[in-house]
Amino acid sequence: MAILVNKDTKVLVQGITGKEGSFHTKLMLEYGTKIVAGVSPGKEGQEVYGVKVYNSVENAMSENPHIDASIIFVPAAFTADAVYEAIKNKIKNIIVITEGIPVHETMKFVNYANEKGIRIIGPNCPGIIVPNETKIGIMPGSVFTRGPVGIMSRSGTLTYEISYALSREGIGQSTVIGVGGDPIIGLNFIEVMKLFNDDKETKAVVMVGEIGGDIEERVAMRFKKGEFDKPIVAYIAGKTAPPGKRMGHAGAIITMGEGTYEGKIKALENAGIPVAKNPFEIPKLISKLI
């Protein structure tokens, strides 16, 4: 069983004729993802690797009414419009790969999506993958194998490295989600943890956090209260980042002394969550829990 998406999920690619959109459409199709349509204004009638292109989401939906996920590769200046268009057409899962979207724009479309019961993954994320079923994202599919560990991560590259480290030790993944590295994101760790908690296939969860924000501390607090049944192993990136400096992600900045590496480690350990010193320690820690 997977969470959020599966082999039957029908996917729309917004920005499909662009360099990134067309490149990753090819890779997602090769992985087995059911991409049924693409959108690029002014390009209707074209095809990208056999996928028909439409001028608008509305046009795509008129011929493909069962689309239930969209992945967005639209440039940052136009991403908000693309998200609103997907929301208007009631696509229930919207994965926003684009980075560099102004925070106030993200805040508005995330709030609007929440009001409409639409789920946003990202922005500035690698997407979601259910090994051997579907890949709606930009991650290298070859490093993932199917198994009992759910992964939720703020970092794309660490997601791949940790999944590969687990796979090499014979530990597969149920669903892997990159939630995004921006200060404002849609789906967060607590919401993902609730989904993994209800998923029978997932036996344990790896949380890949980083400095900045307080979402890891909030997961620790919920875990300590007994709200989650599934064990968690955590890794926090940014141990050596200088205070006040942004570390790659817009969300990885320590403000007013909050969101520090030390504070996150303390909260996790106080909650009884094992914390890996480096990504390659995670297979050893997770193998004790499954």
Side-chain angles (χ1 to χ4, degrees):
M1 185 178 172
I3 65 169
L4 297 175
V5 297
N6 57 40
K7 59 184 173 56
D8 297 319
T9 300
K10 294 178 177 57
V11 180
L12 172 73
V13 180
Q14 291 178 255
I16 192 170
T17 58
K19 181 181 177 182
E20 295 297 320
S22 61
F23 176 73
H24 288 289
T25 292
K26 179 177 184 291
L27 296 182
M28 287 188 285
L29 286 168
E30 289 174 350
Y31 197 80
T33 304
K34 286 187 171 59
I35 299 175
V36 298
V39 168
S40 281
K43 304 289 180 67
E44 185 156 307
Q46 295 185 15
E47 287 192 356
V48 175
Y49 298 107
V51 177
K52 189 173 178 180
V53 180
Y54 299 82
N55 279 339
S56 67
V57 175
E58 184 177 5
N59 287 1
M61 295 289 288
S62 68
E63 293 188 13
N64 304 276
H66 301 299
I67 289 171
D68 42 18
S70 178
I71 181 167
I72 294 179
F73 291 99
V74 174
F78 309 105
T79 299
D81 287 342
V83 173
Y84 286 123
E85 194 179 0
I87 294 172
K88 180 183 176 183
N89 285 278
K90 301 178 181 178
I91 298 177
K92 62 184 182 182
N93 289 302
I94 302 171
I95 296 96
V96 186
I97 303 299
T98 310
E99 60 179 301
I101 303 169
V103 172
H104 67 280
E105 289 190 6
T106 302
M107 192 178 298
K108 288 178 182 176
F109 69 62
V110 166
N111 285 337
Y112 187 61
N114 288 338
E115 290 174 5
K116 298 296 182 183
I118 304 291
R119 185 176 289 111
I120 302 280
I121 300 176
N124 189 14
C125 78
I128 179 171
I129 183 169
V130 178
N132 302 338
E133 288 202 25
T134 190
K135 180 182 86 155
I136 310 175
I138 60 174
M139 58 283 280
S142 61
V143 306
F144 301 90
T145 54
R146 192 63 180 262
V149 177
I151 299 179
M152 53 186 188
S153 173
R154 291 173 64 184
S155 166
T157 305
L158 285 172
T159 306
Y160 319 150
E161 289 186 2
I162 290 167
S163 296
Y164 186 47
L166 287 167
S167 294
R168 282 189 304 178
E169 296 299 323
I171 303 171
Q173 305 89 48
S174 54
T175 303
V176 180
I177 303 175
V179 298
D182 280 1
I184 303 295
I185 56 174
L187 193 70
N188 64 46
F189 279 165
I190 290 174
E191 293 166 311
V192 178
M193 196 60 214
K194 288 178 180 176
L195 294 169
F196 278 139
N197 209 47
D198 294 335
D199 178 37
K200 292 181 179 177
E201 182 182 4
T202 302
K203 304 301 181 188
V205 176
V206 174
M207 177 171 65
V208 184
E210 61 187 11
I211 59 171
D214 67 347
I215 191 63
E216 296 87 353
E217 291 92 327
R218 286 192 279 142
V219 170
M221 182 179 67
R222 299 285 189 97
F223 185 82
K224 192 173 183 179
K225 288 181 177 178
E227 294 185 21
F228 304 131
D229 298 328
K230 307 289 173 70
I232 304 172
V233 168
Y235 173 72
I236 303 296
K239 182 178 181 179
T240 58
K245 296 288 185 182
R246 199 175 84 186
M247 190 198 67
H249 286 162
I253 184 167
I254 298 167
T255 54
M256 304 295 287
E258 296 184 351
T260 64
Y261 178 85
E262 293 77 14
K264 290 181 186 289
I265 299 299
K266 184 179 179 181
L268 292 164
E269 291 182 340
N270 283 344
I273 297 174
V275 182
K277 294 181 178 62
N278 59 65
F280 305 103
E281 192 181 13
I282 289 175
K284 180 181 177 182
L285 294 176
I286 207 81
S287 64
K288 296 177 181 177
L289 302 175
I290 58 176

